[in-house]
Amino acid sequence: NAGVTQTPKFRVLKTGQSMTLLCAQDMNHEYMYWYRQDPGMGLRLIHYSVGEGTTAKGEVPDGYNVSRLKKQNFLLGLESAAPSQTSVYFCASSHGEEAEKLFFGSGTQLSVL
Amino acid sequence: GQNIDQPTEMTATEGAIVQINCTYQTSGFNGLFWYQQHAGEAPTFLSYNVLDGLEEKGRFSSFLSRSKGYSYLLLKELQMKDSASYLCALMDSNYQLIWGAGTKLIIKP
């Protein structure tokens, strides 16, 4: 049982480049989330989805886009990377009836130069 | 608005007991959560309190007082593997999780 899988684990971008982070879960969870984690700060929600084909903005959505074309996948896109987007990104999922219990992926360390 | 405070770092001795406090201010409340995060790894769920009182789960217990905006995580019989960051989070009135910055717990032999 893989749980939540994120790719890639590490990435270095130049300012202005684009990339997509991939998240897949095999637990049939309805809810999926993208967070960023920065030193000295709590996890901050970027975007989330409550079901296939739906997405919503979180606390810090600017500069990011997401898509959930299939229930098991949640993609996070950076169209034009900026140094301020250097962070560790975590994908998470949860079951609709136990939405408080999040299952996290192993994270993506992104550096934007 | 919402605010969560927890100590940045704590040190404890192997075999001892440690209490990690979390205070919060919020206009809406739907639960208080604790997660454990080892360095370089993903957070993992530890506990969930929605009613006042103590929830015990093995060596770990979590306490909540809604009237005081206060929670703590109690770790007993500390082991070296308990060295990690402990994240406090509250679920607000919109069922969104608001996270504290985490408490780094260092266990010494």
Side-chain angles (χ1 to χ4, degrees):
Chain A
N1 190 345
V4 180
T5 304
Q6 276 181 246
T7 55
K9 293 189 181 301
F10 302 94
R11 185 72 187 269
V12 178
L13 292 177
K14 294 181 179 179
T15 297
Q17 286 185 318
S18 64
M19 76 163 295
T20 300
L21 304 183
L22 311 179
C23 178
Q25 53 93 6
D26 62 3
M27 297 173 283
N28 201 34
H29 283 170
E30 293 86 355
Y31 296 177
M32 296 188 75
Y33 314 81
W34 276 107
Y35 283 95
R36 61 178 289 171
Q37 188 174 40
D38 300 293
M41 302 181 71
L43 288 161
R44 291 184 291 170
L45 183 64
I46 304 170
H47 286 280
Y48 64 100
S49 167
V50 299
E52 180 180 319
T54 70
T55 63
K57 294 180 180 180
E59 180 186 356
V60 288
D62 294 343
Y64 306 94
N65 57 75
V66 288
S67 64
R68 189 145 179 226
L69 299 179
K70 294 182 178 181
K71 186 177 184 179
Q72 63 268 34
N73 297 333
F74 196 30
L75 309 182
L76 178 71
L78 286 73
E79 291 184 346
S80 179
S84 61
Q85 294 177 305
T86 293
S87 187
V88 179
Y89 291 85
F90 286 102
C91 175
S93 70
S94 65
H95 190 282
E97 293 187 0
E98 278 191 313
E100 70 280 358
K101 187 174 181 180
L102 301 184
F103 293 82
F104 284 85
S106 57
T108 298
Q109 174 70 61
L110 175 66
S111 296
V112 183
L113 306 178
Chain B
Q2 293 125 337
N3 188 49
I4 298 179
D5 286 313
Q6 50 181 134
T8 302
E9 187 174 296
M10 299 181 69
T11 302
T13 304
E14 188 177 15
I17 299 173
V18 70
Q19 177 175 311
I20 302 174
N21 296 326
C22 173
T23 58
Y24 64 87
Q25 295 175 319
T26 182
S27 55
F29 180 86
N30 279 300
L32 192 289
F33 308 82
W34 287 94
Y35 280 74
Q36 180 190 60
Q37 185 177 25
H38 286 99
E41 297 183 11
T44 54
F45 174 84
L46 285 179
S47 68
Y48 167 53
N49 295 67
V50 65
L51 299 176
D52 290 353
L54 188 68
E55 294 278 345
E56 297 187 76
K57 203 182 283 187
R59 293 189 299 113
F60 292 7
S61 303
S62 56
F63 172 84
L64 174 67
S65 169
R66 288 173 296 171
S67 62
K68 295 182 179 179
Y70 169 68
S71 173
Y72 67 72
L73 182 69
L74 190 72
L75 291 73
K76 303 177 184 176
E77 302 170 15
L78 286 170
Q79 302 175 10
M80 297 303 292
K81 67 178 182 179
D82 297 330
S83 292
S85 288
Y86 291 87
L87 314 181
C88 173
L90 71 88
M91 183 170 279
D92 68 11
S93 55
N94 294 319
Y95 294 92
Q96 296 294 333
L97 282 175
I98 310 298
W99 297 80
T103 298
K104 182 178 180 180
L105 178 63
I106 300 168
I107 309 296
K108 296 185 175 180

